[in-house]
Every structure is written in structure tokens, then in C-alpha cells.
Amino acid sequence: MFPMNQPRQRIVTKGTLMHVTEHVWFRVLFERRFIPQSIHHNNKNIFLIGPMGSGKTTVGGIVAKVLAKEFHDTDQEIEVSTGVDISYVFDVEGETGFRKREEKLVAVITQKKNIVLATGGGAIESENNRRCLANNGFVIYLETSLE
């Protein structure tokens, strides 16, 4: 049994709601529970969405390693392509400029196969991003309390 005092996360996977703790994540992944068998095939993508700080990058890295998939993080990829951190992009281009960059990146990266993608916290505000994610892989929502 796992300690109940661990932070809980709610995961919504195409209509299925699951609550897991940090400790359970490892059990879930290694036993491949809650992740449909179809996801384990090499061409299936996993896209992680959720608010900033919900653990998308951390969980995404673990999921990618366990399932032998390539890991991508939209914020990290924007930082690499621009050579500056996200806050600087926001300062110079504003949120609109940042979201345009993010939307272009999501359109390209979701065409890849066998990846895990951690999106930025606001990525799903774009209808184009939502469409790209939904049409090209399995979308998992990570929710955490704001406490």
C-alpha cells in the first residue's frame, strides 16, 4: 500500500479518470497499468498536458524512458531554437508571439512517431494545438492542486 499523504495527481485519459500518487506513478508505468496496450506500440505518441508545475516534464521523461520513446518538451525546444529562456521570449514577443512559436512547434513535433511530448501549460488554449494533439496520439491530462 502507498502512503496516502503523498501528493495526488488526477489523470484524465480519453474519458477515464485516475488518481495516482508519485509512488504509484512508478508502479503504474512499470506494470503498464492504465496505459492502453496500443500505446506500447512504437508508432504511438503520448502527449502530456496540464497546468504549469503539474509534472509534465518529469513524468514525460520517465514515461519515455520506460516505454523506449523519444522525449520532447515544447518549452525546452523553444528555448533551444531561440537561444533564450521562455521568460525572455514572453518579455520581447509577448504571450501572442510565444504562442505562435509554440503552435508551429506543436504542428511539427506531433507528426513524429514514437514520442512523448510535454506541452507548455497554456498549449491547449490553441484550437490548432488541441487538434494536432488529439489527431496524432494519446493525450494525458495531469492535474495537481495549486497548494
Side-chain angles (χ1 to χ4, degrees):
M1 200 59 162
F2 297 98
M4 294 308 291
N5 62 348
Q6 292 297 316
R8 294 172 65 90
Q9 293 187 335
R10 187 172 85 181
I11 304 168
V12 180
T13 59
K14 294 202 177 188
T16 303
L17 176 64
M18 295 168 268
H19 288 276
V20 296
T21 67
E22 294 280 332
H23 287 95
V24 176
W25 256 111
F26 292 93
R27 183 172 172 202
V28 167
L29 294 174
F30 284 105
E31 292 180 5
R32 296 183 176 191
R33 296 166 101 195
F34 302 131
I35 300 175
Q37 285 300 317
S38 62
I39 290 302
H40 302 294
H41 297 286
N42 285 340
N43 289 336
K44 298 292 184 175
N45 296 327
I46 299 173
F47 304 127
L48 301 177
I49 64 171
M52 183 173 58
S54 61
K56 297 178 300 289
T57 300
T58 302
V59 170
I62 294 168
V63 170
K65 185 175 182 177
V66 169
L67 298 179
K69 294 182 180 288
E70 186 178 323
F71 177 68
H72 296 272
D73 179 289
T74 56
D75 287 350
Q76 290 174 359
E77 300 223 2
I78 289 171
E79 287 179 341
V80 168
S81 70
T82 61
V84 296
D85 64 26
I86 295 299
S87 62
Y88 187 78
V89 175
F90 266 86
D91 288 345
V92 173
E93 299 179 359
E95 184 172 2
T96 303
F98 173 78
R99 296 296 172 205
K100 285 180 185 177
R101 287 181 182 275
E102 183 179 58
E103 193 170 287
K104 287 178 186 176
L105 178 62
V106 168
V108 169
I109 207 161
T110 54
Q111 298 306 305
K112 294 183 175 223
K113 300 295 180 206
N114 197 34
I115 67 165
V116 175
L117 174 65
T119 63
I124 60 166
E125 292 177 17
S126 160
E127 184 177 336
N128 289 335
N129 287 348
R130 290 192 304 269
R131 187 178 12 263
C132 285
L133 296 170
N135 291 339
N136 293 293
F138 188 76
V139 178
I140 299 175
Y141 177 71
L142 300 184
E143 180 185 81
T144 188
S145 70
L146 297 176
E147 297 172 357

